[in-house]
Amino acid sequence: MPSSTLLPRIVEKGRFMSVLELSDLPIEKITNAIGDLFNLRHLGLRNSKVKLLPKSIEKLSNLLTLDLYRTNIEELPIGIVKLQRLRHLFVEKASDHSERVFRCLSGICIPKGLRNLQTLQTLEAQSGSIRHLGELGQLRILRIWNVKGVYCGDLCESLAQMQSLSHLTVGASDENVILRLNAPPPNLQKLRLNGQLDEDTLDQSPHFQEAGRYLYSLRLYWSQLRGDPLPSLSRLSNLTELRFSNAYNWEKLVFLTGCFPKLKTLILRDLPSLKCLEIHKGAMASLEELTLWNLSNMMEVPPGLEFLVTIRVLTFYEITPEFLRLLHNCPRIRGTRWWYTLR
């Protein structure tokens, strides 16, 4: 049945349905009759080809989740603010699914008034939306892209009001923007920063001081760090996941004894300056997954891999044939299963 007739028939036959999941279907248009689904709690259009939502969407007064992830929707109808029960809004788009291009993700602007949102993925930053962000006091998960340097002050003020926020992603508008975020939410557990950081950020920002005691996941992308970040980050003793991607412009990383005792996953990707990765005995004592990805200047198998006795997944992506020979001839990882791909 053509998608143009499928949805109207579903709506006609299912007026009492609470979940309508249309993800991955080649649907381009949503019938205006969807507003008649007064009992609808979940509307999923993820990975569809929908470009516009009908005005009647404002009639879905019981809607809790609206999933528009990776659709072609550029703007939300103003009437969406009438959906006061809406808790979860997904509107992110990806131009590069590998996330190796700086501006690979984007969101859309949302009208003021959706005060009860708990999940917002993703807001496209504008001066007005940043200032009003603090009104979303129930937010627990927030992703925001295209943050300009001049927005950082207002963004910090808004974030400081979000007592329930646990997951935060902030992406700068371009590679030269410095993300100055010095007022983190008090209960942050998961943090991803896409953009340049100040030289003193890791030592002075509350994100990485006392306010970071609850952090279990940290992802730093395009940070342009020029000094060793590990002495500062090792204070985050509850981390279970740490990822660097284009984040570090130095030749050496050393994981000292006792650092990151709860870390389960470490991913280092696209660090062209890194030549030496060294792991001391007793470092990352709980590590289960180590991924080294496109570390083009690393010329030796990292000393200390043999100390990672809890490792279950050891992967080397985009390595040279020369480095592959080093791996095959390295006695320190004999008996350890590992995977690789060639560049």
Side-chain angles (χ1 to χ4, degrees):
M1 181 181 297
S3 59
S4 59
T5 58
L6 173 63
L7 185 53
R9 291 198 62 179
I10 291 175
V11 172
E12 181 183 354
K13 299 291 184 180
R15 290 182 179 274
F16 295 96
M17 71 172 64
S18 60
V19 175
L20 180 55
E21 185 56 73
L22 303 170
S23 295
D24 299 304
L25 294 179
I27 294 173
E28 297 183 2
K29 186 177 181 181
I30 300 298
T31 174
N32 203 52
I34 200 168
D36 296 334
L37 301 179
F38 59 88
N39 196 44
L40 202 63
R41 264 68 168 174
H42 174 101
L43 176 57
L45 300 171
R46 179 175 293 230
N47 294 320
S48 70
K49 298 180 180 180
V50 174
K51 297 180 180 180
L52 292 172
L53 291 177
K55 184 178 183 299
S56 64
I57 199 83
E58 66 187 41
K59 296 166 63 178
L60 301 178
S61 58
N62 290 307
L63 195 66
L64 299 176
T65 300
L66 179 58
D67 189 352
L68 309 175
Y69 187 72
R70 292 181 180 173
T71 63
N72 295 321
I73 291 174
E74 301 286 345
E75 186 177 7
L76 296 175
I78 190 65
I80 200 171
V81 298
K82 296 181 180 180
L83 305 183
Q84 288 301 302
R85 293 190 179 183
L86 190 64
R87 297 294 184 268
H88 310 287
L89 178 59
F90 302 90
V91 287
E92 191 168 74
K93 291 180 286 187
S95 59
D96 173 40
H97 298 307
S98 71
E99 300 188 13
R100 298 176 80 174
V101 176
F102 185 82
R103 282 284 285 152
C104 59
L105 300 170
S106 62
I108 64 176
C109 299
I110 65 169
K112 182 182 177 182
L114 292 172
R115 297 177 181 272
N116 296 314
L117 282 178
Q118 295 177 2
T119 303
L120 176 53
Q121 298 184 9
T122 298
L123 178 67
E124 191 76 3
Q126 291 184 343
S127 58
S129 61
I130 293 291
R131 285 195 300 271
H132 298 307
L133 197 56
E135 298 174 3
L136 305 180
Q138 296 186 39
L139 270 183
R140 298 173 184 174
I141 300 174
L142 171 64
R143 301 183 73 161
I144 179 169
W145 296 106
N146 197 33
V147 174
K148 299 179 180 179
V150 295
Y151 297 165
C152 287
D154 288 337
L155 179 57
C156 286
E157 289 185 16
S158 293
L159 291 176
Q161 300 176 50
M162 297 181 180
Q163 300 296 308
S164 300
L165 194 67
S166 61
H167 293 39
L168 174 64
T169 296
V170 180
S173 57
D174 64 61
E175 296 178 49
N176 297 315
V177 169
I178 298 176
L179 293 175
R180 294 185 172 91
L181 304 177
N182 54 14
N187 299 304
L188 203 59
Q189 298 175 12
K190 190 172 183 178
L191 175 64
R192 172 176 171 175
L193 298 176
N194 278 50
Q196 190 176 162
L197 301 179
D198 261 337
E199 290 291 329
D200 299 326
T201 294
L202 299 186
D203 287 322
Q204 298 181 6
S205 171
H207 278 299
F208 306 105
Q209 301 295 323
E210 184 64 20
R213 64 189 181 278
Y214 299 120
L215 273 181
Y216 69 81
S217 174
L218 177 62
R219 302 183 183 188
L220 299 179
Y221 293 3
W222 306 91
S223 307
Q224 300 187 33
L225 300 173
R226 291 175 177 81
D228 187 352
L230 297 184
S232 299
L233 295 182
S234 62
R235 293 193 293 263
L236 304 174
S237 58
N238 288 316
L239 278 186
T240 60
E241 178 191 46
L242 178 61
R243 299 189 184 205
F244 290 165
S245 181
N246 276 300
Y248 182 57
N249 297 327
W250 203 248
E251 296 182 355
K252 191 172 185 178
L253 271 178
V254 180
F255 289 84
L256 298 175
T257 300
C259 72
F260 304 112
K262 298 181 181 180
L263 198 67
K264 302 287 186 183
T265 300
L266 174 63
I267 298 177
L268 305 177
R269 184 177 73 173
D270 297 336
L271 306 179
S273 299
L274 187 64
K275 294 182 178 180
C276 177
L277 172 64
E278 186 176 321
I279 302 166
H280 289 193
K281 187 175 183 179
M284 301 182 288
S286 303
L287 195 68
E288 297 178 357
E289 177 184 354
L290 174 61
T291 299
L292 306 179
W293 193 335
N294 189 31
L295 307 184
S296 55
N297 277 318
M298 197 164 66
M299 299 303 176
E300 64 173 340
V301 179
L305 282 181
E306 68 274 18
F307 298 138
L308 302 177
V309 295
T310 58
I311 202 78
R312 295 194 300 177
V313 179
L314 176 59
T315 309
F316 303 88
Y317 285 126
E318 299 179 19
I319 62 174
T320 63
E322 293 76 17
F323 194 83
L324 179 59
R325 283 193 289 272
L326 290 176
L327 289 171
H328 281 303
N329 295 325
C330 180
R332 290 180 282 108
I333 60 171
R334 285 177 186 163
T336 301
R337 295 184 64 186
W338 48 273
W339 292 261
Y340 74 93
T341 64
L342 291 175
R343 189 170 300 150

